[in-house]
Amino acid sequence: MYFEATTQGNDYKVKVNEGRSAWNVQLSKNDGPWVEHVILKEDFQMLNEAISFMFNNHSYLVDVVGKDTDYNVYTRGSFRTIKIFNDEMLLHESLKSGKGLAAGDNLNAGMPGKIIKILVKVGQEVEEGDPILIMEAMKMENEMRAEKSCKVKSINVKEGQTVESGAELIVFEC
């Protein structure tokens, strides 16, 4: 699973892979290097609606309350408010403006996905609303459009390529 979270002015990217005996959790803070953690399933329990687990020889009891993207996480006598976006919420946020994912002088991936079709060439003039590329995310094909009239300066991806959230796909000269 892939998530993005924001708390206390920091942005986190989170990848969670469940194995037979453990969860592999990878975190990137503010687009920094990925740090990997392993949480053994034998050190994990659900207690009513709270979670108890051991991590780095410390015991944690975590209670999470929230809905949509806003959550309060209570642990060790304090709480943090966290905004969490899973793949579906990332897609919704990136597409709700109706203008695609282009912002400014580049087009970035709003979530992980696969480039299906590139609809422009380097040097091509595009008008606001013109289709730029088609990206598959969450088993849906999403047409990404130009936010404003510009010229395509560079294309940083190829058809069939898988990209991470935030990847710079196309650069424009505006």
Side-chain angles (χ1 to χ4, degrees), residues 2 15 101 107-116 133-137 144 156-158 160-169:
Y2 177 84
K15 296 178 189 175
L101 303 174
L107 176 70
N108 293 331
M111 63 184 309
K114 181 178 180 181
I115 306 303
I116 301 299
L133 62 78
I134 298 172
M135 184 172 121
E136 180 183 288
M144 299 167 78
N156 301 332
V157 292
K158 295 182 170 109
Q161 181 178 343
T162 301
V163 297
E164 292 293 325
S165 178
E168 186 179 69
L169 309 173

Side-chain angles (χ1 to χ4, degrees), residues 4-7 64-74 80-86 89 93:
E4 290 185 10
T6 301
T7 185
V64 180
V65 178
K67 76 178 220 184
D68 296 328
T69 61
D70 297 317
Y71 293 85
N72 288 316
V73 178
Y74 300 88
R80 300 270 192 272
T81 300
I82 301 175
K83 192 172 264 304
I84 299 175
F85 296 92
N86 62 15
M89 294 306 290
E93 289 294 312

Side-chain angles (χ1 to χ4, degrees), residues 90-101:
L90 286 167
L91 179 62
H92 174 72
E93 289 294 312
S94 68
L95 296 176
K96 73 181 179 183
S97 68
K99 292 187 177 180
L101 303 174

